[in-house]
Amino acid sequence: GESVGLHLPTLSVQEGDNSIINCAYSNSASDYFIWYKQESGKGPQFIIDIRSNMDKRQGQRVTVLLNKTVKHLSLQIAATQPGDSAVYFCAETHNTDKLIFGTGTRLQVFP
Amino acid sequence: DTGVSQDPRHKITKRGQNVTFRCDPISEHNRLYWYRQTLGQGPEFLTYFQNEAQLEKSRLLSDRFSAERPKGSFSTLEIQRTEQGDSAMYLCASNRGNEKLFFGSGTQLSVL
């Protein structure tokens, strides 16, 4: 079936460095992608989204890149801070259907 | 607070008991979703409503699970005859369709 997966289960970065979290998706028909951040004991929190007619979108300190050719999504966090420590999920959907989530990457930020 | 609200935050029950969770979505959102999440995994879709109509149910939703949204506002998720494998975080989310989902903080269920 269709699935969304991540290459790296854990990513450790030093405070101030840039972080890149990757995600592969398998449904070529997906047209909307979202990155969520989840802290322990909380629900997923929206970070940034991108539609399939774009290949890059920027927010505050975050950038999402979409490569439809290889079905790859990435989240870049600039100047990573301790407060960025969390689990990050990518999610995809097609035609406003339900979101399908990947398994997550844990980001650890150390001083 | 105008976010998605879930109650209770935590529920401990004995195997075989029934439990019911409540979700209050963001008021202007017509779609409401239930997801289940186990440790280290991403949320898994269970079911969703558009207004009061339940439009889709996952294969994960066995006949022991039932969800309702009678007036198109709040929703309840009931699990009958709970099993240890039902232990998980149950997340509710809402949107206006074609938009990002807003999640609640979830109900953590522990079945002993």
Side-chain angles (χ1 to χ4, degrees):
Chain A
E2 291 119 9
S3 65
V4 177
L6 297 175
H7 297 302
L8 299 173
T10 302
L11 177 65
S12 296
V13 299
Q14 191 164 24
E15 183 179 355
D17 285 352
N18 298 334
S19 302
I20 300 176
I21 301 172
N22 296 303
C23 174
Y25 64 95
S26 59
N27 185 1
S28 57
S30 292
D31 54 12
Y32 182 46
F33 304 87
I34 306 178
W35 280 100
Y36 282 91
K37 171 187 180 182
Q38 188 174 26
E39 296 172 294
S40 181
K42 298 183 179 180
Q45 176 187 359
F46 170 85
I47 300 173
I48 191 167
D49 57 0
I50 188 167
R51 299 201 179 271
S52 58
N53 60 351
M54 303 174 68
D55 54 19
K56 180 179 180 179
R57 191 164 189 223
Q58 289 184 293
Q60 187 176 12
R61 283 200 307 118
V62 294
T63 300
V64 56
L65 298 177
L66 175 62
N67 185 332
K68 293 181 289 293
T69 301
V70 294
K71 292 184 286 188
H72 185 267
L73 194 68
S74 68
L75 176 70
Q76 300 178 2
I77 304 174
T80 313
Q81 302 170 358
D84 295 326
S85 295
V87 177
Y88 289 80
F89 296 96
C90 66
E92 52 111 4
T93 186
H94 170 60
N95 276 349
T96 72
D97 198 3
K98 58 188 179 293
L99 276 180
I100 303 296
F101 284 81
T103 54
T105 292
R106 179 172 300 280
L107 177 64
Q108 297 178 327
V109 183
F110 56 93
Chain B
D1 187 339
T2 57
V4 177
S5 176
Q6 291 188 247
D7 182 71
R9 288 296 311 278
H10 304 275
K11 179 69 177 179
I12 301 174
T13 191
K14 293 182 179 179
R15 189 174 49 190
Q17 297 295 304
N18 299 342
V19 294
T20 300
F21 310 140
R22 177 180 170 123
C23 172
D24 288 89
I26 294 172
S27 59
E28 62 267 27
H29 287 179
N30 62 340
R31 285 196 175 184
L32 185 150
Y33 300 76
W34 285 99
Y35 281 79
R36 180 171 68 186
Q37 186 177 28
T38 53
L39 195 63
Q41 300 297 313
E44 297 174 300
F45 170 79
L46 292 178
T47 188
Y48 86 96
F49 294 82
Q50 180 156 304
N51 300 314
E52 65 276 9
Q54 188 172 17
L55 296 188
E56 186 175 348
K57 292 194 293 185
S58 164
R59 292 190 305 267
L60 295 174
L61 214 64
S62 77
D63 57 5
R64 296 185 297 106
F65 288 69
S66 62
E68 295 182 343
R69 195 184 183 198
K71 298 181 180 179
S73 56
F74 74 91
S75 175
T76 58
L77 177 67
E78 181 182 17
I79 309 174
Q80 295 182 327
R81 306 181 302 282
T82 52
E83 301 173 356
Q84 288 185 325
D86 297 331
S87 296
M89 173 79 83
Y90 290 83
L91 292 163
C92 178
S94 69
N95 69 2
R96 283 184 283 203
N98 202 33
E99 294 182 351
K100 56 186 175 284
L101 285 181
F102 292 85
F103 282 85
S105 295
T107 294
Q108 182 67 53
L109 174 66
S110 297
V111 182
L112 304 178

